Amino acid sequence: SRGVWHDGRFLGVVNAALDPEYFTNAYKAIDVGRHGLVTLLGLDGSLIVRVPLHNAFIGAKLPDSGVIAAVTAGSPVGRVDMVTPLDQVRRITSYRVVHDTGLVVAIGYAMSDILAGWYQTLWFEGTATLLLAALGVFALVFLLRDLNQQRRIEDMRVESDSFARAS
């Protein structure tokens, strides 16, 4: 709601109702990954809309989150690395204060979603590296064993030649 003034005189109040379901449906269309979220907050930290939904907390004032702390500190637009208070998931969250509405829109991408591809590559390449290293070790062991056997054969040949010459 907003007060309406004209020439310094108070004319009345304009009140507009927002249907949270409208925002919920709109926010569901945004791909934020498996553990990401989209929220609409009041400047006081009250949760208006959250996707994925946490009905029990809609309308409640959330514990001081990184987003509201950053807005309160004077940053109307920004990014915070934070653990969200409702589900304890670490996210990189970008936010923006919606001009003259008293609302903040925030979109958070979970670190686990951001790094999922990297972890998959790490496991694949790490496993391949370990297998190649093990193959190299086995090849080295067989090579050393073969060299040792050749040395013993050569020693036996030299000894045999020495014995034949001595006879």
Side-chain angles (χ1 to χ4, degrees), residues 112-127:
S112 60
D113 293 341
I114 293 169
L115 297 176
W118 181 82
Y119 283 132
Q120 185 176 9
T121 301
L122 175 69
W123 279 107
F124 175 76
E125 291 180 4
T127 301

Side-chain angles (χ1 to χ4, degrees), residues 125-141:
E125 291 180 4
T127 301
T129 301
L130 286 175
L131 288 174
L132 286 173
L135 182 63
V137 167
F138 283 126
L140 183 61
V141 166

Side-chain angles (χ1 to χ4, degrees), residues 20-25 27-28 32 34 36-40 47-59 86-87 91:
E21 192 66 27
Y22 169 80
F23 292 103
T24 300
N25 291 333
Y27 291 167
K28 283 180 183 177
V32 290
R34 191 169 161 208
L37 64 80
V38 182
T39 58
L40 182 62
L47 182 62
I48 298 167
V49 175
R50 184 181 193 273
V51 174
L53 194 58
H54 271 269
N55 276 334
F57 295 99
I58 298 297
L86 293 183
D87 55 13
R91 293 183 175 91

